[in-house]
Amino acid sequence: MGAHRDAGGEQARVWLSPRREPREVTSPRRLLGQTLLALALTTASLAWIVHETGPLESLFRQVRPGWLLAAALALIASWAVRSLRVWLLVRTLGQRASFFGIFTDFVASLFVSGVTPTASGGFPFFVYAMGRRGVEWGVALAANLFDTVLNVLTVVILGALAWALLIGYAPAGGTASILLVGVGIWVVMGGLLAVTTLLAPRFAARGLYRLSQRLKREDRRPSLTRLVRALAAQVAQHTRAIRRLRRRGRAPVVVNLVLNLIYWAAYLSVGPLILTALGLAVDAGPGAPLWLDAVFAHLNFHLVQNLIPTPGAAGGAEWGLAYLFRPYLSADRLGGFVVLWRLITYYFQVAVGGLFLPRTLRQMVRGPS
């Protein structure tokens, strides 16, 4: 982020200043309002699902807390692996950063993702927090985008594998067709993301630089000229970081893909662990084993949750999950599963992220040490 001072121009420095925080945290009142809205929508949706599926008292008396703890630990493990992926990419690009610092910033970004529409705020918040920790802006963005591209590729592979396994048990229909369509959408999204993040920045940097030169020749709006030059400098920095990653050969790709598989193994185990906590036999089922149905439904949910335009995907997430698991669970189990799944993957995530958020915000204000 130190490059901001060299980009030129007072307005450019202000616009790209390390002290200019992402919009998600500039207004505590706005952040609080989004949090309360997300929690209200989620709670109302869960209450309605419980009303539709029946009381949960007898079901929760049978819950095995040890398995719920295992589900929470699996979720935390996925956070740690996700942070490790980015930390290793940052190290590969020659930047110094503590793993715990990256982990802190990522978990704090989970809170922001949980209270912003379609989880849109978590990514820029995480990149910004890394910059305030001392990682160059271009490196922070390149590491996260490179990781995201490989993450999309991993999800496509896992989704295709899950679909192939499922049609081995029964004809592909219903939610299986949804997964196939979702995988196709992710193939397109992944391709576009790879092109725009790995190839387009070079052309964008050139275009912005030429625009700044034209504005300078015309001697109009010097503040706009400085801003465009500052943007060009940042995009060029990102492009150089991507080039350095490509020069490293296959090693970053292989390591990241392996860690992606570990991440998804931990993340997708949350559903089967919750089902086990409810006393269900996850290795049995009328078609595929219940654990595979759970992984399949969880992947479906992951593919569509970012399309739900509410803070934290609240409201739509609960009903979407209930719809996806309805073929596999009886009504008296379905409500309990949705409640427990949301408690662990949303309420728990927001709570832990909220604990880490003040530490990250202090780092944002303080800047690199």
Side-chain angles (χ1 to χ4, degrees):
M1 296 292 284
H4 293 167
R5 301 188 186 90
D6 304 324
E10 185 61 29
Q11 183 171 339
R13 285 197 297 270
V14 171
W15 193 85
L16 292 167
S17 168
R19 295 187 181 277
R20 183 182 175 90
E21 295 158 350
R23 188 173 60 177
E24 285 77 14
V25 296
T26 51
S27 171
R29 181 177 298 178
R30 181 172 181 269
L31 189 62
L32 177 61
Q34 290 179 327
T35 303
L36 293 177
L37 176 60
L39 293 177
L41 287 173
T42 299
T43 304
S45 298
L46 290 177
W48 183 257
I49 289 173
V50 170
H51 176 266
E52 291 293 303
T53 57
L56 304 178
E57 292 85 355
S58 60
L59 178 63
F60 281 168
R61 281 198 294 266
Q62 304 172 19
V63 169
R64 306 169 185 176
W67 289 105
L68 288 181
L69 177 61
L73 291 176
L75 190 63
I76 294 173
S78 72
W79 301 343
V81 175
R82 170 70 171 81
S83 304
L84 180 62
R85 290 182 348 224
V86 174
W87 180 74
L88 288 175
L89 287 171
V90 168
R91 298 273 294 184
T92 300
L93 289 168
Q95 295 283 295
R96 289 184 172 273
S98 72
F99 169 74
F100 182 73
I102 297 292
F103 177 77
T104 298
D105 295 341
F106 174 70
V107 177
S109 76
L110 292 177
F111 175 88
V112 178
S113 292
V115 299
T116 53
T118 67
S120 61
F123 184 88
F125 181 91
F126 185 35
V127 172
Y128 180 86
M130 289 173 60
R132 291 301 290 156
R133 197 166 288 280
V135 179
E136 289 181 5
W137 183 90
V139 169
L141 183 60
N144 276 281
L145 288 175
F146 188 81
D147 178 75
T148 300
V149 169
L150 293 179
N151 182 52
V152 170
L153 175 63
T154 309
V155 172
V156 169
I157 294 171
L158 291 175
L161 178 60
W163 189 82
L165 288 172
L166 281 165
I167 62 173
Y169 288 96
T175 51
S177 299
I178 296 175
L179 179 59
L180 186 61
V181 172
V183 169
I185 293 172
W186 271 65
V187 169
V188 175
M189 289 175 56
L192 292 174
L193 184 64
V195 169
T196 56
T197 59
L198 303 182
L199 300 177
R202 179 179 59 181
F203 302 104
R206 288 177 179 174
L208 287 169
Y209 179 74
R210 288 169 181 167
L211 177 60
S212 69
Q213 292 295 97
R214 179 181 175 182
L215 291 171
K216 184 177 181 180
R217 285 195 302 270
E218 294 177 355
D219 197 24
R220 295 179 182 177
R221 303 186 67 178
S223 60
L224 178 61
T225 302
R226 291 191 293 267
L227 175 59
V228 173
R229 290 187 65 183
L231 287 172
Q234 299 306 318
V235 176
Q237 189 183 57
H238 166 67
T239 304
R240 288 193 294 270
I242 290 293
R243 284 178 183 167
R244 290 204 300 272
L245 272 176
R246 290 208 297 255
R247 284 198 296 267
R248 295 289 182 176
R250 299 177 181 173
V253 175
V254 172
V255 171
N256 192 281
L257 282 174
V258 170
L259 289 175
N260 253 296
L261 291 173
I262 297 172
Y263 166 86
W264 283 106
Y267 183 65
L268 293 176
S269 69
V270 172
L273 287 170
I274 294 175
L275 292 172
T276 304
L278 289 170
L280 297 170
V282 295
D283 58 346
L290 188 55
W291 71 266
L292 182 56
D293 290 330
V295 168
F296 161 65
H298 202 165
L299 271 172
N300 261 323
F301 175 77
H302 180 78
L303 292 171
V304 301
Q305 67 172 335
N306 286 327
L307 302 178
I308 302 173
T310 57
E318 295 77 27
W319 285 103
L321 197 70
Y323 170 78
L324 291 171
F325 275 89
R326 190 179 298 275
Y328 315 123
L329 299 176
S330 59
D332 61 330
R333 301 278 180 174
L334 180 62
F337 172 78
V338 174
V339 169
L340 290 178
W341 188 87
R342 198 63 170 154
L343 283 174
I344 289 177
T345 63
Y346 182 72
Y347 285 96
F348 176 69
Q349 176 175 290
V350 168
V352 177
L355 291 176
F356 281 86
L357 184 64
R359 180 186 178 95
T360 295
L361 292 179
R362 286 195 298 270
Q363 179 65 45
M364 286 180 173
V365 174
R366 184 169 62 246
S369 55

